[in-house]
Each structure stands twice: as structure tokens, then as C-alpha cells.
Amino acid sequence: MTTIVILTGAGISAESGLGTFRDKDGVWMRHDLADLATPEGFARNPALVHEFYNARRAAAAAARPNAAHLALTQLQRGYAGRVVLITQNVDDLHTRAGTAGVIQMHGSLMRALCHGCGHRWPAPARMAPQDPCPACGAAQTRPDVVWFGEMPYRMEEIYRALAEADLFVAIGTSGTVYPAAGFVAEAAQAGAETLEINLAPSGAMFDRVLTGPAAQVVPDWVAGLLGEPPDSGA
Ligand code: APR
């Protein structure tokens, strides 16, 4: 049975209206990630960081999965082999599109974490530094998002999947942040064929590159894999 391992980045949610990080008007082009996406930045100004994630949580809640997210669900349901979806994104669009077992390696805007006791719970729409943890009562709550300098989630499971991959596909990621940026080399080393789907080649080493907006390219790619006629686009 063949295994397809897919890694997605901010580019797959771009057509759902959610910003990417490093494109010309990207999030890190307008904000200093040291202030907003590091434990040190959070320690310095938790209210600022909560505000940043409250805004991103509201945008993600208002966004809808696009044709690329939905096509990956079709692939997972229709493909004869195994499809493992790893995302760097902290929005919940893959899950809302119906994909099962999504590995959110950078955590989720929709989950809260207590820095004190490690308890996790569904994040309220707005979080603030003084929010008490529902389990231990400490006012040490944070978004359950992996910041720079922190270890991404479920890495053992990810490396096992990469070792078993027959096909590795990176969709909408610039390949600039490790460990995710190293997954294509891991998969290639294990003998997988590698495919990049992006607006433009990221420059990393892939066997094949399909360029164009994910909401157009991914459905056609999935239709081809499932042996269906490409979307007439009608
Ligand atoms: N369709 C396909 N690809 C797109 C589209 C689109 N409509 N729009 C943008 N892209 C591509 C860009 O060409 C770029 O390669 O998506 C990629 C976005 O790159 P980044 O903004 O760097 O986002 P990402 O790769 O997900 O960043 C990785 O960095 O800041 C951290 O934790 C954060 O998970 C994030 C990680």
C-alpha cells in the first residue's frame, strides 16, 4: 500500500483570505516575530501577544476551507493508500475541510495551553494574560502555538511517516523554517518521490514542481491521482 505524506504551509490558506508570513505583505513583513512568536516576547508583553493571536484566531474562525483543503480531504477518502497530512498552519481549515488525523506540528490557534500545569482546552475567542487556567487556576495561559525556539509537536510520528513515504508533497510553504524545511530531504533519503506545489518554486530540491495557486493546482493534481477527469473549471 502506498503512502502519501503531505506538508502544508500558509500558502494553502492564502486563498481562504489568511495571510502568509514571508510574501510581500506577509505577517513577518509587518510585525517583528521576536515580539510575537517567541517565549521571550510573550514574557515581555503577554497582552500584546494575546492580542496578536486573538486577531489571527478571529480571522481563522471567519475563514472557510478552500478548494485545496477540500481536495486533500477527497484524496484522503478516495485514495487506495494512506494519506498523512502534516501542517505548519495553526488555522483549523484542514480539520474543518474534513481531513482526518491532521498533524498540527506548530499547534493550533483554537487550543489554549496552561504554562503552569500543561492543561489544554478549546481556546475562547479572546484570551488575556489574567485568564485563569480551568484546571489549576494559575493565570499562565497562552495560545497552544509552537513559537520559535520551541519544539514542534508529534515529531516522532512525523519522522516515522517520512520514512514510510512513497510520495512527499509540500504545498504552499517557503521551506525556510526547520524542522519542516528538512522534511523533503528526509523523505527523499527514504526513497520517496517529492513534489512541490507552490505559486513559484521555493528553490528546495524536489523531483517535480507544479506552479500556480493551490486552490487551482491541488484539485487538478488530486483528480489526476484519483483517476478522475481534471476539473473542467466550469
Ligand atoms: N498557492 C500556493 N502557494 C502559495 C499561495 C497560493 N495561493 N500563496 C502563497 N504561496 C506560497 C508562497 O510562494 C510561499 O512559498 O506559500 C509560501 C508561504 O511561505 P511562508 O509565508 O514562509 O509560510 P510558511 O512556509 O507556512 O512558514 C512556515 O514559519 O513563521 C513560521 O510558524 C510559522 O508555520 C509558519 C512557518
Side-chain angles (χ1 to χ4, degrees), residues 104-116:
Q104 287 199 281
M105 64 179 288
H106 289 165
S108 169
L109 284 168
M110 305 311 173
R111 234 186 3 251
L113 167 66
C114 174
H115 203 57

Side-chain angles (χ1 to χ4, degrees), residues 14-37:
E15 289 155 277
S16 294
L18 298 182
T20 61
F21 293 96
R22 296 172 183 82
D23 289 328
K24 62 184 180 338
D25 54 353
V27 175
W28 300 144
M29 300 299 134
R30 291 176 281 117
H31 300 283
D32 181 350
L33 66 84
D35 293 336
L36 299 171

Side-chain angles (χ1 to χ4, degrees), residues 8-12 14-15 19-23 26 28 33 37 56 88-90 106 146 148 171-177 196-200 202 212-215:
T8 62
I12 200 168
E15 289 155 277
T20 61
F21 293 96
R22 296 172 183 82
D23 289 328
W28 300 144
L33 66 84
R56 291 183 62 199
Q88 301 171 87
N89 300 339
V90 290
H106 289 165
V146 177
F148 288 94
I171 304 174
T173 181
S174 60
T176 45
V177 175
E196 175 168 54
I197 297 177
N198 199 312
L199 279 182
S202 66

Side-chain angles (χ1 to χ4, degrees), residues 43-55:
R44 272 198 306 274
N45 191 340
L48 175 72
V49 174
H50 273 304
E51 267 316 303
F52 174 63
Y53 284 97
N54 289 342

